[in-house]
PDB file of all heavy atoms in Angstrom:
ATOM      1  N   LEU A 414     104.361  92.022  93.279  1.00  0.00           N
ATOM      2  CA  LEU A 414     104.457  91.057  92.178  1.00  0.00           C
ATOM      3  C   LEU A 414     105.570  90.046  92.441  1.00  0.00           C
ATOM      4  O   LEU A 414     105.433  88.855  92.124  1.00  0.00           O
ATOM      5  CB  LEU A 414     104.696  91.798  90.862  1.00  0.00           C
ATOM      6  CG  LEU A 414     103.542  92.699  90.401  1.00  0.00           C
ATOM      7  CD1 LEU A 414     103.936  93.456  89.139  1.00  0.00           C
ATOM      8  CD2 LEU A 414     102.283  91.872  90.154  1.00  0.00           C
ATOM      9  N   THR A 415     106.678  90.516  93.027  1.00  0.00           N
ATOM     10  CA  THR A 415     107.764  89.600  93.373  1.00  0.00           C
ATOM     11  C   THR A 415     107.291  88.575  94.395  1.00  0.00           C
ATOM     12  O   THR A 415     107.572  87.374  94.274  1.00  0.00           O
ATOM     13  CB  THR A 415     108.960  90.388  93.940  1.00  0.00           C
ATOM     14  OG1 THR A 415     109.459  91.269  92.930  1.00  0.00           O
ATOM     15  CG2 THR A 415     110.075  89.448  94.373  1.00  0.00           C
ATOM     16  N   GLY A 416     106.561  89.058  95.418  1.00  0.00           N
ATOM     17  CA  GLY A 416     106.022  88.134  96.399  1.00  0.00           C
ATOM     18  C   GLY A 416     105.089  87.117  95.788  1.00  0.00           C
ATOM     19  O   GLY A 416     105.103  85.933  96.157  1.00  0.00           O
ATOM     20  N   ALA A 417     104.278  87.560  94.827  1.00  0.00           N
ATOM     21  CA  ALA A 417     103.353  86.635  94.170  1.00  0.00           C
ATOM     22  C   ALA A 417     104.103  85.578  93.371  1.00  0.00           C
ATOM     23  O   ALA A 417     103.734  84.402  93.368  1.00  0.00           O
ATOM     24  CB  ALA A 417     102.407  87.421  93.270  1.00  0.00           C
ATOM     25  N   VAL A 418     105.174  85.982  92.678  1.00  0.00           N
ATOM     26  CA  VAL A 418     105.961  85.021  91.892  1.00  0.00           C
ATOM     27  C   VAL A 418     106.639  84.009  92.813  1.00  0.00           C
ATOM     28  O   VAL A 418     106.631  82.797  92.551  1.00  0.00           O
ATOM     29  CB  VAL A 418     107.008  85.764  91.024  1.00  0.00           C
ATOM     30  CG1 VAL A 418     107.989  84.769  90.397  1.00  0.00           C
ATOM     31  CG2 VAL A 418     106.318  86.566  89.936  1.00  0.00           C
ATOM     32  N   LEU A 419     107.222  84.495  93.906  1.00  0.00           N
ATOM     33  CA  LEU A 419     107.922  83.598  94.826  1.00  0.00           C
ATOM     34  C   LEU A 419     106.966  82.637  95.528  1.00  0.00           C
ATOM     35  O   LEU A 419     107.354  81.528  95.898  1.00  0.00           O
ATOM     36  CB  LEU A 419     108.688  84.414  95.868  1.00  0.00           C
ATOM     37  CG  LEU A 419     109.838  85.274  95.330  1.00  0.00           C
ATOM     38  CD1 LEU A 419     110.467  86.089  96.459  1.00  0.00           C
ATOM     39  CD2 LEU A 419     110.901  84.423  94.647  1.00  0.00           C
ATOM     40  N   ALA A 420     105.713  83.057  95.691  1.00  0.00           N
ATOM     41  CA  ALA A 420     104.737  82.206  96.378  1.00  0.00           C
ATOM     42  C   ALA A 420     103.945  81.329  95.425  1.00  0.00           C
ATOM     43  O   ALA A 420     103.103  80.546  95.859  1.00  0.00           O
ATOM     44  CB  ALA A 420     103.780  83.075  97.193  1.00  0.00           C
ATOM     45  N   ALA A 421     104.207  81.457  94.111  1.00  0.00           N
ATOM     46  CA  ALA A 421     103.377  80.761  93.128  1.00  0.00           C
ATOM     47  C   ALA A 421     103.545  79.245  93.207  1.00  0.00           C
ATOM     48  O   ALA A 421     102.593  78.495  93.043  1.00  0.00           O
ATOM     49  CB  ALA A 421     103.705  81.252  91.720  1.00  0.00           C
ATOM     50  N   GLY A 422     104.747  78.762  93.451  1.00  0.00           N
ATOM     51  CA  GLY A 422     104.982  77.326  93.504  1.00  0.00           C
ATOM     52  C   GLY A 422     104.993  76.805  94.927  1.00  0.00           C
ATOM     53  O   GLY A 422     104.664  77.515  95.885  1.00  0.00           O
ATOM     54  N   SER A 423     105.366  75.551  95.055  1.00  0.00           N
ATOM     55  CA  SER A 423     105.451  74.968  96.395  1.00  0.00           C
ATOM     56  C   SER A 423     106.585  75.588  97.198  1.00  0.00           C
ATOM     57  O   SER A 423     106.524  75.680  98.421  1.00  0.00           O
ATOM     58  CB  SER A 423     105.654  73.454  96.296  1.00  0.00           C
ATOM     59  OG  SER A 423     106.830  73.167  95.532  1.00  0.00           O
ATOM     60  N   ALA A 424     107.648  76.033  96.501  1.00  0.00           N
ATOM     61  CA  ALA A 424     108.777  76.688  97.155  1.00  0.00           C
ATOM     62  C   ALA A 424     109.528  77.490  96.102  1.00  0.00           C
ATOM     63  O   ALA A 424     109.575  77.100  94.932  1.00  0.00           O
ATOM     64  CB  ALA A 424     109.711  75.665  97.802  1.00  0.00           C
ATOM     65  N   PRO A 425     110.119  78.642  96.484  1.00  0.00           N
ATOM     66  CA  PRO A 425     110.901  79.417  95.512  1.00  0.00           C
ATOM     67  C   PRO A 425     112.071  78.591  94.989  1.00  0.00           C
ATOM     68  O   PRO A 425     112.644  77.769  95.702  1.00  0.00           O
ATOM     69  CB  PRO A 425     111.392  80.618  96.323  1.00  0.00           C
ATOM     70  CG  PRO A 425     110.514  80.675  97.526  1.00  0.00           C
ATOM     71  CD  PRO A 425     110.097  79.268  97.809  1.00  0.00           C
ATOM     72  N   GLY A 426     112.431  78.820  93.732  1.00  0.00           N
ATOM     73  CA  GLY A 426     113.541  78.109  93.125  1.00  0.00           C
ATOM     74  C   GLY A 426     114.249  78.981  92.121  1.00  0.00           C
ATOM     75  O   GLY A 426     113.903  80.157  91.929  1.00  0.00           O
ATOM     76  N   PRO A 427     115.264  78.435  91.427  1.00  0.00           N
ATOM     77  CA  PRO A 427     116.029  79.232  90.470  1.00  0.00           C
ATOM     78  C   PRO A 427     115.169  79.921  89.415  1.00  0.00           C
ATOM     79  O   PRO A 427     115.447  81.058  89.033  1.00  0.00           O
ATOM     80  CB  PRO A 427     116.971  78.193  89.842  1.00  0.00           C
ATOM     81  CG  PRO A 427     117.140  77.154  90.907  1.00  0.00           C
ATOM     82  CD  PRO A 427     115.815  77.077  91.606  1.00  0.00           C
ATOM     83  N   ALA A 428     114.122  79.248  88.942  1.00  0.00           N
ATOM     84  CA  ALA A 428     113.288  79.854  87.900  1.00  0.00           C
ATOM     85  C   ALA A 428     112.590  81.111  88.419  1.00  0.00           C
ATOM     86  O   ALA A 428     112.555  82.146  87.727  1.00  0.00           O
ATOM     87  CB  ALA A 428     112.259  78.841  87.401  1.00  0.00           C
ATOM     88  N   SER A 429     112.017  81.040  89.631  1.00  0.00           N
ATOM     89  CA  SER A 429     111.319  82.211  90.168  1.00  0.00           C
ATOM     90  C   SER A 429     112.290  83.345  90.480  1.00  0.00           C
ATOM     91  O   SER A 429     111.981  84.523  90.253  1.00  0.00           O
ATOM     92  CB  SER A 429     110.518  81.831  91.413  1.00  0.00           C
ATOM     93  OG  SER A 429     111.338  81.222  92.391  1.00  0.00           O
ATOM     94  N   TYR A 430     113.491  83.008  90.968  1.00  0.00           N
ATOM     95  CA  TYR A 430     114.486  84.052  91.193  1.00  0.00           C
ATOM     96  C   TYR A 430     114.886  84.718  89.877  1.00  0.00           C
ATOM     97  O   TYR A 430     115.009  85.937  89.796  1.00  0.00           O
ATOM     98  CB  TYR A 430     115.736  83.472  91.859  1.00  0.00           C
ATOM     99  CG  TYR A 430     115.491  82.785  93.174  1.00  0.00           C
ATOM    100  CD1 TYR A 430     116.116  81.581  93.473  1.00  0.00           C
ATOM    101  CD2 TYR A 430     114.640  83.331  94.126  1.00  0.00           C
ATOM    102  CE1 TYR A 430     115.901  80.936  94.687  1.00  0.00           C
ATOM    103  CE2 TYR A 430     114.408  82.693  95.335  1.00  0.00           C
ATOM    104  CZ  TYR A 430     115.044  81.488  95.606  1.00  0.00           C
ATOM    105  OH  TYR A 430     114.819  80.856  96.794  1.00  0.00           O
ATOM    106  N   ALA A 431     115.080  83.913  88.845  1.00  0.00           N
ATOM    107  CA  ALA A 431     115.488  84.449  87.548  1.00  0.00           C
ATOM    108  C   ALA A 431     114.423  85.390  86.985  1.00  0.00           C
ATOM    109  O   ALA A 431     114.742  86.457  86.438  1.00  0.00           O
ATOM    110  CB  ALA A 431     115.772  83.309  86.575  1.00  0.00           C
ATOM    111  N   VAL A 432     113.145  85.011  87.128  1.00  0.00           N
ATOM    112  CA  VAL A 432     112.070  85.849  86.602  1.00  0.00           C
ATOM    113  C   VAL A 432     112.027  87.190  87.322  1.00  0.00           C
ATOM    114  O   VAL A 432     111.959  88.255  86.693  1.00  0.00           O
ATOM    115  CB  VAL A 432     110.715  85.120  86.739  1.00  0.00           C
ATOM    116  CG1 VAL A 432     109.559  86.085  86.463  1.00  0.00           C
ATOM    117  CG2 VAL A 432     110.647  83.943  85.773  1.00  0.00           C
ATOM    118  N   THR A 433     112.067  87.159  88.660  1.00  0.00           N
ATOM    119  CA  THR A 433     111.971  88.414  89.408  1.00  0.00           C
ATOM    120  C   THR A 433     113.176  89.320  89.162  1.00  0.00           C
ATOM    121  O   THR A 433     113.029  90.537  89.036  1.00  0.00           O
ATOM    122  CB  THR A 433     111.834  88.121  90.917  1.00  0.00           C
ATOM    123  OG1 THR A 433     112.930  87.295  91.343  1.00  0.00           O
ATOM    124  CG2 THR A 433     110.536  87.394  91.211  1.00  0.00           C
ATOM    125  N   LEU A 434     114.355  88.738  89.058  1.00  0.00           N
ATOM    126  CA  LEU A 434     115.551  89.556  88.804  1.00  0.00           C
ATOM    127  C   LEU A 434     115.587  90.070  87.372  1.00  0.00           C
ATOM    128  O   LEU A 434     116.105  91.161  87.105  1.00  0.00           O
ATOM    129  CB  LEU A 434     116.806  88.753  89.132  1.00  0.00           C
ATOM    130  CG  LEU A 434     117.014  88.494  90.630  1.00  0.00           C
ATOM    131  CD1 LEU A 434     118.102  87.453  90.864  1.00  0.00           C
ATOM    132  CD2 LEU A 434     117.350  89.788  91.366  1.00  0.00           C
ATOM    133  N   ALA A 435     115.025  89.297  86.446  1.00  0.00           N
ATOM    134  CA  ALA A 435     114.931  89.784  85.068  1.00  0.00           C
ATOM    135  C   ALA A 435     113.997  90.985  84.985  1.00  0.00           C
ATOM    136  O   ALA A 435     114.258  91.949  84.246  1.00  0.00           O
ATOM    137  CB  ALA A 435     114.442  88.663  84.154  1.00  0.00           C
ATOM    138  N   VAL A 436     112.897  90.954  85.747  1.00  0.00           N
ATOM    139  CA  VAL A 436     111.991  92.107  85.789  1.00  0.00           C
ATOM    140  C   VAL A 436     112.712  93.321  86.366  1.00  0.00           C
ATOM    141  O   VAL A 436     112.594  94.435  85.846  1.00  0.00           O
ATOM    142  CB  VAL A 436     110.736  91.769  86.621  1.00  0.00           C
ATOM    143  CG1 VAL A 436     109.905  93.028  86.893  1.00  0.00           C
ATOM    144  CG2 VAL A 436     109.892  90.718  85.911  1.00  0.00           C
ATOM    145  N   ALA A 437     113.492  93.100  87.421  1.00  0.00           N
ATOM    146  CA  ALA A 437     114.234  94.211  88.027  1.00  0.00           C
ATOM    147  C   ALA A 437     115.225  94.813  87.034  1.00  0.00           C
ATOM    148  O   ALA A 437     115.291  96.032  86.863  1.00  0.00           O
ATOM    149  CB  ALA A 437     114.963  93.723  89.278  1.00  0.00           C
ATOM    150  N   ALA A 438     115.987  93.960  86.366  1.00  0.00           N
ATOM    151  CA  ALA A 438     116.949  94.458  85.383  1.00  0.00           C
ATOM    152  C   ALA A 438     116.233  95.140  84.223  1.00  0.00           C
ATOM    153  O   ALA A 438     116.713  96.139  83.680  1.00  0.00           O
ATOM    154  CB  ALA A 438     117.820  93.304  84.881  1.00  0.00           C
ATOM    155  N   GLY A 439     115.059  94.608  83.838  1.00  0.00           N
ATOM    156  CA  GLY A 439     114.292  95.221  82.763  1.00  0.00           C
ATOM    157  C   GLY A 439     113.831  96.623  83.110  1.00  0.00           C
ATOM    158  O   GLY A 439     113.846  97.523  82.249  1.00  0.00           O
ATOM    159  N   CYS A 440     113.426  96.839  84.369  1.00  0.00           N
ATOM    160  CA  CYS A 440     113.040  98.192  84.793  1.00  0.00           C
ATOM    161  C   CYS A 440     114.221  99.148  84.653  1.00  0.00           C
ATOM    162  O   CYS A 440     114.071 100.285  84.178  1.00  0.00           O
ATOM    163  CB  CYS A 440     112.564  98.163  86.246  1.00  0.00           C
ATOM    164  SG  CYS A 440     110.974  97.356  86.510  1.00  0.00           S
ATOM    165  N   GLY A 441     115.406  98.689  85.059  1.00  0.00           N
ATOM    166  CA  GLY A 441     116.588  99.533  84.916  1.00  0.00           C
ATOM    167  C   GLY A 441     116.899  99.844  83.464  1.00  0.00           C
ATOM    168  O   GLY A 441     117.249 100.980  83.115  1.00  0.00           O
ATOM    169  N   LEU A 442     116.767  98.844  82.589  1.00  0.00           N
ATOM    170  CA  LEU A 442     117.073  99.040  81.174  1.00  0.00           C
ATOM    171  C   LEU A 442     116.111 100.039  80.531  1.00  0.00           C
ATOM    172  O   LEU A 442     116.523 100.888  79.729  1.00  0.00           O
ATOM    173  CB  LEU A 442     117.011  97.698  80.446  1.00  0.00           C
ATOM    174  CG  LEU A 442     117.333  97.731  78.948  1.00  0.00           C
ATOM    175  CD1 LEU A 442     118.732  98.285  78.709  1.00  0.00           C
ATOM    176  CD2 LEU A 442     117.188  96.334  78.352  1.00  0.00           C
ATOM    177  N   VAL A 443     114.825  99.943  80.865  1.00  0.00           N
ATOM    178  CA  VAL A 443     113.866 100.929  80.348  1.00  0.00           C
ATOM    179  C   VAL A 443     114.287 102.335  80.783  1.00  0.00           C
ATOM    180  O   VAL A 443     114.227 103.290  80.001  1.00  0.00           O
ATOM    181  CB  VAL A 443     112.441 100.606  80.840  1.00  0.00           C
ATOM    182  CG1 VAL A 443     111.477 101.735  80.491  1.00  0.00           C
ATOM    183  CG2 VAL A 443     111.952  99.298  80.230  1.00  0.00           C
ATOM    184  N   GLY A 444     114.741 102.454  82.026  1.00  0.00           N
ATOM    185  CA  GLY A 444     115.208 103.746  82.500  1.00  0.00           C
ATOM    186  C   GLY A 444     116.399 104.267  81.711  1.00  0.00           C
ATOM    187  O   GLY A 444     116.481 105.457  81.394  1.00  0.00           O
ATOM    188  N   VAL A 445     117.342 103.378  81.386  1.00  0.00           N
ATOM    189  CA  VAL A 445     118.506 103.785  80.584  1.00  0.00           C
ATOM    190  C   VAL A 445     118.042 104.363  79.244  1.00  0.00           C
ATOM    191  O   VAL A 445     118.539 105.400  78.785  1.00  0.00           O
ATOM    192  CB  VAL A 445     119.452 102.590  80.351  1.00  0.00           C
ATOM    193  CG1 VAL A 445     120.562 102.973  79.364  1.00  0.00           C
ATOM    194  CG2 VAL A 445     120.063 102.131  81.668  1.00  0.00           C
ATOM    195  N   LEU A 446     117.086 103.697  78.616  1.00  0.00           N
ATOM    196  CA  LEU A 446     116.597 104.137  77.303  1.00  0.00           C
ATOM    197  C   LEU A 446     115.857 105.468  77.372  1.00  0.00           C
ATOM    198  O   LEU A 446     115.836 106.222  76.398  1.00  0.00           O
ATOM    199  CB  LEU A 446     115.691 103.061  76.704  1.00  0.00           C
ATOM    200  CG  LEU A 446     116.359 101.700  76.438  1.00  0.00           C
ATOM    201  CD1 LEU A 446     115.341 100.684  75.952  1.00  0.00           C
ATOM    202  CD2 LEU A 446     117.504 101.847  75.441  1.00  0.00           C
ATOM    203  N   LEU A 447     115.250 105.762  78.529  1.00  0.00           N
ATOM    204  CA  LEU A 447     114.460 106.988  78.665  1.00  0.00           C
ATOM    205  C   LEU A 447     115.240 108.142  79.282  1.00  0.00           C
ATOM    206  O   LEU A 447     114.743 109.268  79.312  1.00  0.00           O
ATOM    207  CB  LEU A 447     113.225 106.719  79.533  1.00  0.00           C
ATOM    208  CG  LEU A 447     112.174 105.755  78.976  1.00  0.00           C
ATOM    209  CD1 LEU A 447     111.070 105.545  80.011  1.00  0.00           C
ATOM    210  CD2 LEU A 447     111.586 106.288  77.677  1.00  0.00           C
TER     211      LEU A 447
END
Side-chain angles (χ1 to χ4, degrees):
L414 294 176
T415 297
V418 170
L419 295 177
S423 57
S429 55
Y430 302 137
V432 168
T433 55
L434 290 168
V436 170
C440 289
L442 181 59
V443 171
V445 172
L446 298 175
L447 294 176

